[in-house]
Amino acid sequence: MLAGHNIGTMLGAGQDMPRDLLQAYKWFSLATEKLPASREHNVAVTNHEKVAKELSPADISEGHRLARTWAPSECAVIAFDVENGSIVTDN
């Protein structure tokens, strides 16, 4: 789930995509849950806590819901549409 942490980092910073703290929180939640105890896990926990400080309690609850309901899919990411702020897939 290191990739999830990287996605959270990009979303949280608005790096190469629109900034989306709610989605960043979701990805950091998944990373903290799935990464084994390691330096990467500790960084994910720290980033998760930083993003949480910028969210409302309602947003945090929604972030937890998004993380709980997320499931990997079989889609392959084709591209990121910067103009629309969305990921384009082949399915």
Side-chain angles (χ1 to χ4, degrees):
M1 188 45 74
L2 187 56
H5 177 261
N6 292 341
I7 293 169
T9 299
M10 293 175 72
L11 285 163
Q15 178 185 345
D16 298 325
M17 61 183 65
R19 190 171 192 232
D20 187 334
L21 293 178
L22 182 58
Q23 287 296 317
Y25 187 85
K26 172 188 83 175
W27 286 105
F28 288 140
S29 293
L30 290 165
T32 59
E33 177 185 317
K34 306 283 186 197
L35 282 171
S38 63
R39 186 184 83 70
E40 289 83 8
H41 178 267
N42 294 341
V43 171
V45 169
T46 298
N47 288 337
H48 188 250
E49 291 169 351
K50 284 180 185 177
V51 169
K53 290 178 183 176
E54 295 189 54
L55 295 174
S56 69
D59 285 339
I60 290 171
S61 292
E62 176 64 4
H64 284 292
R65 186 194 70 74
L66 291 170
R68 274 193 320 274
T69 59
W70 178 85
S73 69
E74 294 183 20
C75 71
V77 174
I78 305 275
F80 184 79
D81 184 343
V82 175
E83 214 170 280
N84 295 319
S86 61
I87 295 173
V88 180
T89 65
D90 64 354
N91 65 346

